[in-house]
């Protein structure tokens, strides 16, 4: 049985990752075991820096010993350090820095924007509140699903996005694939193609498409995982 570990974004509630993991398991139940990295859920409060998240992900990799790793969103920054040498399918995810140098968890322009949103205690609004409602609603059109996500969201500290994370040399040469939802991560999609990774773009999809149409995303991930196996 193939063991599959999902490294989710620390910005999103664990419930979101579990919903998608269940959709994957429904397609893969005969041959695959799909679990969500457990470390983040055990934090009594949101992680203050990337090193705390990395330690939690490494713990999950050591516990589960996966044959395949999936990442989503900010979780993509961690795979190269948390699961070296294990094949990865990135799902609309940020990628590690191209070289071994450390970089902040948010690019400079976004960091400036986030700094303006932090309160006196250095806490940011929940992720789904970073944009006006009319901009975020299309990302998760179902009103009940949006309400559920917001019920479980945590407020991340600004310090997390100022913290830095590197990557091992040569990480991009490891077996990896990329699934993009539209063009939000266009640079990452181009990087994946330039390095010869199996790559799929779901045109018109937005960043939470794995919650909007989990079956379609599960099918795309399964296809990419098979293409990695062929490689």
């Amino acid at each position: 049985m193939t063991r599959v570990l999902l490294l989710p974004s620390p910005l999103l509630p664990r419930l979101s990752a579990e919903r998608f993991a269940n959709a994957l398991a429904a397609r893969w139940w005969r041959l695959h075991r799909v679990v969500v990295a457990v470390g983040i859920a055990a934090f009594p409060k949101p992680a203050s820096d990337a090193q705390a998240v990395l330690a939690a992900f490494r713990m999950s990799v050591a516990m589960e010993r996966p044959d395949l790793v999936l990442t989503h969103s900010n979780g993509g920054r961690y795979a190269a350090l948390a699961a070296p040498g294990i094949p990865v399918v990135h799902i609309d995810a940020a990628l590690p820095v191209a070289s071994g140098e450390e970089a902040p968890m948010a690019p400079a322009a976004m960091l400036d924007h986030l700094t303006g949103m932090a309160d006196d205690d250095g806490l940011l609004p929940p992720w789904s509140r970073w944009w006006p409602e009319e901009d975020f609603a299309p990302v998760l059109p179902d009103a009940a699903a949006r309400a559920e996500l917001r019920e479980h969201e945590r407020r991340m500290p600004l310090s997390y996005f100022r913290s830095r994370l590197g990557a091992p040399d040569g990480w991009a040469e490891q077996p990896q694939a990329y699934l993009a939802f539209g063009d939000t991560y266009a640079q990452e999609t181009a990087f994946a193609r330039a390095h010869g990774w199996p790559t799929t773009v779901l045109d018109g999809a937005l960043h939470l498409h794995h919650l909007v149409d989990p079956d379609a995303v599960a099918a795309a991930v399964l296809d990419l995982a098979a293409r990695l196996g062929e490689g």
Side-chain angles (χ1 to χ4, degrees), residues 26-226:
R27 282 184 170 268
W28 283 352
W29 68 274
R30 290 184 183 274
L31 298 175
H32 298 72
R33 176 175 182 262
V34 184
V35 296
V36 180
V38 298
I40 303 304
F43 288 2
K45 58 183 180 179
S48 61
D49 59 43
Q51 292 303 318
V53 176
L54 176 61
F57 281 164
R58 280 175 165 164
M59 179 183 68
S60 290
V61 170
M63 290 172 55
E64 297 297 335
R65 300 177 64 187
D67 304 296
L68 176 68
V69 167
L70 310 178
T71 76
H72 175 250
S73 192
N74 193 252
R77 288 286 303 271
Y78 295 93
L81 288 169
I86 300 173
V88 181
V89 177
H90 298 282
I91 305 168
D92 215 43
L95 294 176
V97 291
S99 69
E101 296 181 4
E102 292 187 342
M105 293 304 293
M110 178 175 283
L111 192 55
D112 288 344
H113 178 63
L114 294 178
T115 300
M117 290 197 296
D119 65 14
D120 292 342
D121 295 321
L123 290 175
L124 296 165
W127 175 78
S128 68
R129 301 289 185 181
W130 291 4
W131 302 273
E133 181 66 12
E134 61 270 21
D135 292 337
F136 183 74
V139 178
L140 192 56
D142 184 277
R146 286 201 309 277
E148 184 178 54
L149 181 144
R150 285 170 170 164
E151 180 182 354
H152 294 91
E153 277 183 304
R154 287 177 163 187
R155 298 180 63 191
M156 293 291 290
L158 181 62
S159 61
Y160 171 80
F161 299 95
R162 287 175 169 163
S163 65
R164 304 175 72 87
L165 195 68
D169 292 337
W171 70 267
E173 308 310 317
Q174 298 294 318
Q176 293 171 83
Y178 200 90
L179 174 61
F181 299 157
D183 59 0
T184 301
Y185 284 93
Q187 290 185 339
E188 288 78 359
T189 304
F191 181 92
R193 285 173 169 154
H195 285 79
W197 301 357
T199 304
T200 299
V201 178
L202 297 182
D203 293 326
L206 298 175
H207 191 52
L208 297 184
H209 196 64
H210 62 301
L211 303 181
V212 175
D213 193 350
D215 288 339
V217 175
V221 170
L222 179 58
D223 175 69
L224 286 169

